[in-house]
Amino acid sequence: MMTRDVLLEMEQEEDDDEDGDIELENLDQMIVSNFGTLDSQHDFRSPEFEEFNGKPDSLFFNDGQRRIDFVLVYEDESRKETNKKRSNEKQKRKRQAYESNLIHDGLQLEATRSILDDKLVFVKVHAPWEVLCTYAEIMHIKLPLKPNDLKTRSSAFSNFNWFTKVLQVDESIIKPEQEFFTAPFEKNRMSDFYIRDRETFFNPATRSRIVYFILSRIKYQVRDNVKKFGINKLVSSGIYKAAFPLHDCNFSHPSKDFSCPNERYLLYREWGHPRSIYKKQPLDLIRKYYGEKIGIYFAWLGYYTQMLLLAAVVGVACFIYGYVNQNNCTWSKEVCNPDIGGKIIMCPQCDSHCQFWKLNITCESSKKLCIFDSFGTLVFAVFMGVWVTLFLEFWKRRQAELEYEWDTVELQQEEQPRPEYEARCTHVVINEITQDELHSYPIVGGSMKKENICSGSDCVRAGCEAFYVTGKEEERVPFTTWGKCIRVALCASAVLFWILLIIASVIGIIVYRLSVFIVFSAKLPENLNVTDPIQKYLTPQTATSITASLISFIIIMILNIIYEKVAIMITNFELPRTQTDYENSLTMKMFLFQFVNYYSSCFYIAFFKGKFVGYPGDPVYWLGKYRNEECDPGGCLFELTTQLTIIMGGKAIWNNIQEVLLPWVKNLIGRCRTVSGSEKVTPRWEQDYHLQLMGSLGLFYEYLEMIIQFGFVTLFVASFPLAPLLALVNNILEIRVDAWKMTTQYRRMVPEKAQDIGAWQPIMQGIAILAVVTNAMIIAFTSDMIPRLVYYWSFSVPPYGDHTHHTMEGYINNTLSYFSVADFKNRSKGNTYSGPGGHTMCRYRDFRYPPGHPQQYKHNIYYWHVIAAKLAFIIVMEHVIYSVKFFISYAIPDVSKSTKSKIKREKYLTQKLLHENHLKDMTKTMEVISERMVEAVDNNLRPKSE
């Protein structure tokens, strides 16, 4: 076998991005691989071309023995219809160099032309046993030692098996996986591992992980002392069209190959099919087929959906309570009463073109407000503060169980650096342990076999974990401390700029509200016509709120699309070390942006709108020009509910269009393009190629979508108790839609390991803490619950009221202050109204002394009572809920006692097993040595005795 790597010495040319480049400083000292020095393109080794054998379900090379672990797709440059011959030739040489180095590194390749498009070539990649073992040790992959009989999964609902059996996956269809004791693989201890069949010892998901690890690090070109490497770079530059592992069969029917496990078909049947919508998810099979990273996402989503069921039931109960009691809402009756609300003349809400209007035109909105602004809202807000804590604490316990069951307890020790990070590790640092300045060079591409790089005590893993050195230990980083500070500062500045851009867009929406409200108010009739449905329901406040919410939603989606690309660029520039670090960094940037983007308009309506408006004679102006908009006489709570409904509903519809309709349409177009060859039998790799690609950040966007929804469900739930119900329905559909698209519309993703949900956990904890504050403030400052309670208990009876008993009668009149129309000319900016219809007084929403009072237009005693009550309510509610939350957090451990015991027990038995095997080996070795020593002594003593 040829043992040399091939790199192309390329002339200056326009090339793709710089990801995957490393500078070749001191090339003579670099450990490239065990294959010796670099060679020229004349030593290319190419894969053998084979004709398709007519077996569409085959997952093997034409010999039927070697399994296909990965597929690379490229367009044959010699058959391209283009005039760019020079560019095509360069791409061909890079590809040939890359494939040659794959072969040099021990992988086996077989090429087959497309059945439907002869320009396409599929390169099938197989990793033989020796390569799998070598890289399994390098990647610290845990593999089976012996069967484990400790893991018994008991259910909390074991007493209700007759009921839960309907929801369970049929074990006769999807059989439970056998459990094993596991340990990081080591070649020199291969006899300790449970190897019954070399072909099945590494399952398909593990084989794909290993091959992708190799593909990501194989080099193909050197230009200006810079190496280029990795399949990702080749795909992004167009040299390859795609790279993916294979699905094991068709989703609609099982494979005709009896050796095929048909896992894709089983997943579609028991998970992705609409008829399985009521069943639990087959998490173990999802994890086995797609990897732990996708498995943990669906486990979290399923658990979140289960917990939403309880929140939805309580929310619906509170909504029904408000709906049933809306007719008993005294203050709403006063608004709708022609003798009360019909005789209350309200002041104009803008400085020009606005008319006086009667309070009873807001009758319908006040009725709707009674549904949401009720005592049930307070109960539900307190309940949700406790619910979110229970959800997070119980999820931690469930996550710990999955870590044990899926063997990811010590995953952080296994994770490898990203190739892009390895490529930049050029700065030597002082080792904090040995205090030595160290010297050696990174290995990127080529072979990484330890026995070929170093041996014995000289083989040491360095700080970057991909640097193998001879003789000395080293630690390298991609940039100095000063360089890291500069990168962090630039990234933070970019994120801050985009957040300010969102705030600017929110200000623009506010200006729109102020401007368009004048137009709607100018058309507002003075009297209510109950026979006109438009006039009955579409008040100026409602019309302004709906149109502004729709425009806000459109701006949100546009900014999302742009910022996604910007956030990825910023994170790439930041250069995180591992894939987990990369995703956590991107997660924080994206969520911070999305938080401001989605929630800023809701925060404005809840806590700023109508709070700083002054009074008709002395209004407050935005930017010295726009008069602050006011809330409906019943408050801004109903407007906040409208905003949440539009954003949550619109977001759900938009996401479903993106997730279902777009992939389906793309695949349909792809099938239509190849309709001429539709009668031909196509192999598995060609069928998978025509599916859609789910990018490396596809799962990230799924998480982001759910966390944004989690924020809506918790942060503003006091204004919309039906939010958990909408989220529950959406999530039930979301799970099955995601399952359907992953099993039918997308190529199989490279399986990845994951220990937990990453940065999303602390984000949810932060939302949970903030939710207590926001809901307390919504009840206190956005709803009218506190002013109503103050009136009922203090101002409806003497000394402030005239009633003999506590009542809500007269509340509306008590909460509307008087204003003299004559004061418009003296105080207001150019208001042309002097009181059409002979009005001398008008009313406005505030607690101020009437004109003629010694302290006219100053806040009255009612105002200060209400402020004190609001602050007291916030303090009491926050302290009560936080106390309950912290008690629950303390009382419920993150890892259950049984799970801790199982982890310790398994670790103990694993170490004991390895130790016993090691002792057996040592015993055998010592027996051999002792026998030889006895023989040697006997041989030395025998001549003397003779």
Side-chain angles (χ1 to χ4, degrees):
M1 175 178 168
M2 199 171 191
T3 57
R4 287 181 293 183
D5 273 348
V6 179
L7 288 187
L8 294 179
E9 291 285 353
M10 303 294 289
E11 60 273 18
Q12 295 288 340
E13 62 181 68
E14 274 190 29
D15 212 340
D16 36 35
D17 57 63
E18 59 182 8
D19 292 343
D21 304 347
I22 66 170
E23 297 181 3
L24 299 181
E25 300 173 353
N26 302 319
L27 182 60
D28 56 331
Q29 300 180 34
M30 173 171 282
I31 305 172
V32 176
S33 73
N34 61 307
F35 300 127
T37 59
L38 309 181
D39 213 331
S40 67
Q41 59 266 34
H42 301 293
D43 291 324
F44 288 154
R45 296 194 64 193
S46 301
E48 297 181 0
F49 272 81
E50 298 286 348
E51 294 293 330
F52 172 48
N53 58 12
K55 299 178 180 179
D57 294 328
S58 177
L59 302 175
F60 296 87
F61 282 14
N62 274 11
D63 58 15
Q65 302 296 322
R66 292 173 292 175
R67 184 182 181 88
I68 301 172
D69 298 317
F70 227 85
V71 175
L72 310 179
V73 187
Y74 69 89
E75 194 171 3
D76 192 346
E77 293 82 0
S78 62
R79 304 194 182 191
K80 284 185 179 180
E81 298 177 0
T82 178
N83 297 323
K84 299 180 180 180
K85 294 184 178 180
R86 178 181 174 83
S87 175
N88 290 341
E89 184 61 28
K90 290 177 181 178
Q91 287 192 348
K92 181 178 180 180
R93 289 163 60 194
K94 292 178 184 178
R95 178 177 48 76
Q96 289 175 336
Y98 182 75
E99 292 176 357
S100 180
N101 286 336
L102 289 177
I103 296 174
H104 291 160
D105 208 50
L107 297 180
Q108 298 174 4
L109 309 183
E110 182 180 271
T112 302
R113 287 200 178 274
S114 169
I115 301 298
L116 302 177
D117 184 358
D118 61 358
K119 293 193 293 295
L120 290 179
V121 177
F122 295 88
V123 179
K124 295 161 284 183
V125 183
H126 169 75
W129 172 258
E130 184 65 25
V131 172
L132 292 173
C133 291
T134 298
Y135 281 89
E137 183 173 5
I138 291 173
M139 296 170 66
H140 294 274
I141 295 177
K142 286 186 174 182
L143 292 169
L145 287 172
K146 64 175 291 188
N148 181 358
D149 55 356
L150 290 178
K151 297 185 179 181
T152 57
R153 302 180 185 180
S154 59
S155 173
F157 304 98
S158 55
N159 295 329
F160 301 94
N161 284 338
W162 58 271
F163 175 73
T164 58
K165 188 176 181 180
V166 180
L167 306 178
Q168 299 289 346
V169 176
D170 190 349
E171 291 189 357
S172 64
I173 299 175
I174 299 180
K175 298 179 180 179
E177 293 293 319
Q178 185 179 6
E179 304 293 345
F180 291 92
F181 291 115
T182 61
F185 185 77
E186 295 182 32
K187 288 180 67 176
N188 58 359
R189 307 186 69 169
M190 193 178 297
S191 59
D192 295 341
F193 290 86
Y194 190 78
I195 304 176
R196 292 294 179 267
D197 184 359
R198 287 191 172 189
E199 298 301 322
T200 59
F201 181 64
F202 294 97
N203 62 38
T206 303
R207 297 176 68 100
S208 298
R209 275 183 62 206
I210 293 173
V211 172
Y212 182 72
F213 182 88
I214 301 172
L215 294 176
S216 299
R217 287 159 174 79
I218 292 295
K219 54 192 177 296
Y220 60 87
Q221 178 191 354
V222 58
R223 178 170 63 87
D224 297 335
N225 256 9
V226 172
K227 268 188 182 178
K228 297 184 178 296
F229 66 92
I231 187 61
N232 292 333
K233 187 176 179 66
L234 290 169
V235 171
S236 64
S237 61
I239 296 175
Y240 283 102
K241 305 281 286 184
F244 53 90
L246 287 178
H247 282 296
D248 65 352
C249 67
N250 195 296
F251 71 87
S252 59
H253 56 80
S255 172
K256 296 179 181 178
D257 186 351
F258 295 106
S259 64
C260 177
N262 295 310
E263 291 174 350
R264 184 191 185 192
Y265 166 73
L266 293 177
L267 283 172
Y268 173 70
R269 176 180 170 180
E270 299 297 321
W271 182 45
H273 198 280
R275 69 186 176 197
S276 302
I277 193 170
Y278 64 91
K279 290 186 177 181
K280 290 186 177 181
Q281 302 181 83
L283 293 176
D284 288 335
L285 185 58
I286 296 171
R287 168 248 182 171
K288 179 184 177 184
Y289 192 75
Y290 289 110
E292 286 77 6
K293 189 173 183 179
I294 290 179
I296 199 74
Y297 164 73
F298 281 104
W300 171 80
L301 181 55
Y303 197 82
Y304 171 46
T305 304
Q306 290 177 20
M307 291 293 291
L308 276 175
L309 180 61
L310 176 61
V313 170
V314 178
V316 170
C318 292
F319 175 80
I320 293 175
Y321 172 83
Y323 184 82
V324 170
N325 288 279
Q326 65 174 326
N327 294 327
N328 300 325
C329 189
T330 305
W331 59 271
S332 177
K333 290 180 179 179
E334 292 183 351
V335 171
C336 298
N337 191 333
D339 296 328
I340 301 176
K343 293 183 178 180
I344 295 178
I345 306 301
M346 302 297 292
C347 297
Q349 293 185 313
C350 60
D351 291 335
S352 58
H353 308 297
C354 291
Q355 303 175 8
F356 292 91
W357 52 287
K358 292 186 177 181
L359 180 62
N360 66 337
I361 71 169
T362 62
C363 175
E364 291 301 321
S365 62
S366 67
K367 288 181 180 179
K368 295 183 181 67
L369 190 60
C370 287
I371 300 175
F372 300 101
D373 194 1
S374 65
F375 180 73
T377 301
L378 173 60
V379 175
F380 189 56
V382 174
F383 166 80
M384 287 301 293
V386 177
W387 173 88
V388 70
T389 304
L390 290 173
F391 163 62
L392 293 176
E393 293 303 318
F394 282 122
W395 164 246
K396 290 178 186 177
R397 291 168 65 91
R398 175 59 179 150
Q399 187 171 258
E401 293 175 1
L402 291 175
E403 288 179 21
Y404 168 71
E405 294 172 5
W406 293 353
D407 208 11
T408 59
V409 175
E410 298 176 350
L411 178 64
Q412 293 179 351
Q413 300 177 9
E414 302 177 34
E415 192 167 13
Q416 301 294 320
R418 297 168 62 241
E420 295 82 1
Y421 181 90
E422 292 177 352
R424 296 287 189 270
C425 286
T426 56
H427 296 276
V428 179
V429 298
I430 301 298
N431 189 292
E432 295 181 357
I433 300 174
T434 62
Q435 297 295 313
D436 292 330
E437 185 173 332
L438 306 161
H439 305 277
S440 69
Y441 298 87
I443 301 171
V444 179
S447 175
M448 297 174 68
K449 300 178 182 179
K450 287 185 178 179
E451 66 272 20
N452 294 322
I453 300 170
C454 51
S455 60
S457 59
D458 291 334
C459 190
V460 184
R461 287 189 61 80
C464 282
E465 290 195 12
F467 295 83
Y468 298 93
V469 299
T470 53
K472 290 185 179 181
E473 179 183 355
E474 82 149 354
E475 186 169 353
R476 284 173 169 261
V477 292
F479 32 68
T480 62
T481 303
W482 177 245
K484 185 175 182 179
C485 291
I486 294 176
R487 285 174 181 259
V488 171
L490 291 175
C491 292
S493 301
V495 174
L496 180 61
F497 168 78
W498 279 89
I499 290 177
L500 293 176
L501 185 62
I502 298 172
I503 295 174
S505 69
V506 173
I507 294 175
I509 294 294
I510 295 173
V511 172
Y512 166 82
R513 286 174 176 272
L514 301 176
S515 303
V516 79
F517 180 76
I518 299 175
V519 178
F520 286 117
S521 296
K523 306 298 181 181
L524 179 68
E526 184 178 356
N527 298 311
L528 174 64
N529 183 2
V530 295
T531 62
D532 187 353
I534 297 179
Q535 181 186 338
K536 185 177 180 181
Y537 292 100
L538 198 62
T539 63
Q541 291 90 346
T542 305
T544 303
S545 176
I546 292 175
T547 56
S549 297
L550 291 172
I551 294 173
S552 177
F553 173 73
I554 293 172
I555 292 176
I556 285 172
M557 302 312 297
I558 293 174
L559 289 177
N560 275 350
I561 294 172
I562 299 174
Y563 183 74
E564 283 177 6
K565 303 182 185 303
V566 175
I568 293 173
M569 292 172 57
I570 294 172
T571 309
N572 289 338
F573 176 74
E574 189 179 330
L575 201 63
R577 180 177 177 275
T578 65
Q579 184 64 23
T580 299
D581 295 337
Y582 180 89
E583 291 178 1
N584 289 347
S585 177
L586 182 61
T587 295
M588 297 306 296
K589 293 181 181 65
M590 284 294 294
F591 179 76
L592 185 62
F593 174 85
Q594 299 276 15
F595 184 90
V596 179
N597 197 16
Y598 277 106
Y599 304 141
S600 55
S601 58
C602 295
F603 273 99
Y604 165 73
I605 295 172
F607 306 125
F608 296 98
K609 183 182 177 182
K611 304 300 185 295
F612 312 100
V613 296
Y615 61 95
D618 187 19
V620 177
Y621 290 87
W622 264 81
L623 308 176
K625 179 180 180 182
Y626 298 99
R627 178 173 168 176
N628 273 4
E629 58 180 334
E630 301 179 26
C631 292
D632 187 271
C636 287
L637 189 68
F638 185 68
E639 185 174 346
L640 178 60
T641 303
T642 304
Q643 179 82 0
L644 286 171
T645 305
I646 290 176
I647 293 181
M648 281 190 69
K651 187 174 181 295
I653 295 172
W654 175 258
N655 288 334
N656 285 327
I657 290 175
Q658 282 189 313
E659 294 180 6
V660 179
L661 193 58
L662 288 182
W664 181 79
V665 169
K666 288 180 180 179
N667 287 333
L668 182 63
I669 294 173
R671 287 193 295 269
C672 291
R673 289 178 177 176
T674 57
V675 69
S676 59
S678 60
E679 299 299 327
K680 298 180 180 179
V681 176
T682 55
R684 164 60 37 213
W685 49 86
E686 189 154 359
Q687 295 174 39
D688 285 6
Y689 170 71
H690 291 292
L691 297 176
Q692 295 303 304
L693 170 66
M694 186 170 184
S696 59
L697 296 177
L699 199 60
F700 167 82
Y701 295 122
E702 300 292 344
Y703 270 118
L704 184 62
E705 175 188 349
M706 290 296 103
I707 296 298
I708 294 296
Q709 180 207 88
F710 178 78
F712 282 123
V713 168
T714 54
L715 289 174
F716 306 101
V717 74
S719 66
F720 191 36
L722 292 181
L725 177 63
L726 295 182
L728 174 65
V729 174
N730 177 77
N731 289 4
I732 292 174
L733 297 176
E734 179 77 17
I735 291 174
R736 303 305 164 175
V737 166
D738 287 347
W740 172 81
K741 72 180 183 182
M742 290 181 67
T743 54
T744 66
Q745 303 299 309
Y746 284 99
R747 299 172 190 158
R748 187 175 182 177
M749 289 161 288
V750 180
E752 295 183 56
K753 285 274 189 179
Q755 187 176 22
D756 48 38
I757 61 174
W760 301 111
Q761 182 77 27
I763 286 175
M764 286 194 296
Q765 290 173 340
I767 291 175
I769 294 173
L770 182 61
V772 178
V773 180
T774 55
N775 284 301
M777 294 183 68
I778 286 173
I779 294 174
F781 292 104
T782 309
S783 78
D784 260 12
M785 183 175 296
I786 302 301
R788 290 200 300 268
L789 290 174
V790 171
Y791 176 80
Y792 182 84
W793 292 106
S794 298
F795 284 80
S796 63
V797 294
Y800 301 109
D802 301 327
H803 299 282
T804 58
H805 60 281
H806 298 288
T807 180
M808 286 300 297
E809 293 180 6
Y811 170 74
I812 289 296
N813 187 64
N814 196 267
T815 56
L816 296 177
S817 300
Y818 287 91
F819 181 77
S820 175
V821 174
D823 292 334
F824 270 127
K825 294 183 178 180
N826 301 329
R827 297 279 187 94
S828 187
K829 294 188 176 182
N831 193 296
T832 57
Y833 293 104
S834 59
H839 303 307
T840 58
M841 287 285 182
C842 64
R843 310 292 291 274
Y844 61 99
R845 176 184 165 85
D846 208 342
F847 307 110
R848 295 177 183 268
Y849 289 113
H853 191 277
Q855 298 183 20
Q856 66 173 2
Y857 304 135
K858 300 292 184 181
H859 288 299
N860 57 24
I861 190 66
Y862 190 9
Y863 171 83
W864 298 111
H865 274 72
V866 169
I867 290 295
K870 288 181 175 181
L871 295 178
F873 171 81
I874 292 174
I875 293 172
V876 171
M877 180 176 174
E878 286 182 358
H879 280 68
V880 169
I881 296 180
Y882 280 140
S883 299
V884 174
K885 286 169 66 71
F886 292 142
F887 173 77
I888 293 174
S889 300
Y890 176 78
I892 302 176
D894 293 348
V895 184
S896 66
K897 186 176 180 180
S898 61
T899 302
K900 284 183 180 178
S901 299
K902 289 178 182 178
I903 293 173
K904 291 179 180 178
R905 176 68 175 166
E906 181 173 339
K907 191 172 183 179
Y908 164 74
L909 292 178
T910 301
Q911 291 176 345
K912 182 180 177 182
L913 177 64
L914 292 174
H915 182 64
E916 288 176 351
N917 290 338
H918 183 63
L919 283 179
K920 289 179 182 178
D921 294 339
M922 290 292 294
T923 302
K924 291 180 182 179
T925 304
M926 293 301 295
E927 287 176 355
V928 173
I929 294 174
S930 62
E931 289 176 359
R932 291 179 180 177
M933 289 179 65
V934 170
E935 290 178 1
V937 171
D938 288 343
N939 291 334
N940 291 334
L941 294 178
R942 187 175 297 118
K944 294 181 180 180
S945 62
E946 290 176 355

